[in-house]
Amino acid sequence: MTDQLRKKFENLQLNAGQGKISAFLSVSLGFVGIFAALCFLFPTVLTTPELRPLYSKHYDVFYYTLLFGIVISAGFGTYSAIIKQNKYGFYGLCITILAAILGCGLIKAPTLPALPFYAGFDYFVITLIILALVFIPLEGFFAKNTEQKILRVGWVTDMKYFMFSHIGIQLFSFLTVMPIQYWITHIPNNPIVPYVQAQPIWLQFIELLIVVDFTTYWLHRAMHEVNFLWRFHAIHHSTEQMDWLASSRLHIVECVNDPFYRNLTNFSVRFSYLCGLCLFGLYFFPCHFYSLQRAFPLSLSALADRNT
């Protein structure tokens, strides 16, 4: 299955006027719509617990955004399939119809009890949309390799890793959080916590950035210099063409290890959850985005890649 997707959709040029771009947008928005609709149907098991209050407070905004995306996807699919007679536009239209069925509100899903683990479909959808909207245009504007296509060689594989790291890993990441929570609850009150929580968000972000950057650098360096660890980390460097999506290519050991030390820092000092989200989006992905590395100072962890 993966090999067939690679042959058809990797190193593919999206030329204007052939219906390829509209078909690509229709298929992409259609799949995003399906994931988003499932989040509305099964919020207790598919969404991130820390974000659920936000969804409840602004339910109408998120719901109508979903419907708007479905309408846009249907428009692209219709144009590609009917006007340009592109078969992939038809596929996008079919996927969009499925998203519309799931998200129209007519399907009443049973209310499932909250579980200690969750799938994080919402996290996948939100990060995919934001990162794609931000980094794809920037990579086109600051392209190191002007010949590299958006649907480059290896993007199918990297998308699979992206989905796993944002969805699949959440199903058992609680195993890394549980021992930390147990340890935190069995130690005396940390006198640093009240001072940290009283600080503004921007200051917490800077402090968390310094701590995580320092820790990430030495862990990353060890991944390069210790042969046993390199066997896992080598997967991260197996991509042939770099872009924002390539940083998601991680071995499962790294997928579990990274949340462990990040959660250890957060639970120990109780930084704001918003800081953690901002740190991941604005720090880890740009570390592997060449044009941003030229425009902004390099992080220590990015230097580990260049110096080892």
Side-chain angles (χ1 to χ4, degrees), residues 226-239:
V226 179
N227 290 334
F228 174 74
L229 297 178
W230 172 251
R231 296 176 183 177
F232 303 112
H233 191 60
I235 293 178
H236 182 59
H237 291 273
S238 63
T239 185

Side-chain angles (χ1 to χ4, degrees), residues 254-267:
E254 287 196 77
C255 288
V256 175
N257 176 65
D258 288 350
F260 178 80
Y261 72 79
R262 285 203 301 270
N263 285 320
L264 179 61
T265 302
N266 286 330
F267 278 109

Side-chain angles (χ1 to χ4, degrees), residues 104-124:
C104 66
L106 298 179
I107 298 178
K108 302 299 181 182
T111 302
L112 301 178
L115 301 174
F117 55 88
Y118 56 95
F121 277 27
D122 59 330
Y123 184 51
F124 166 73

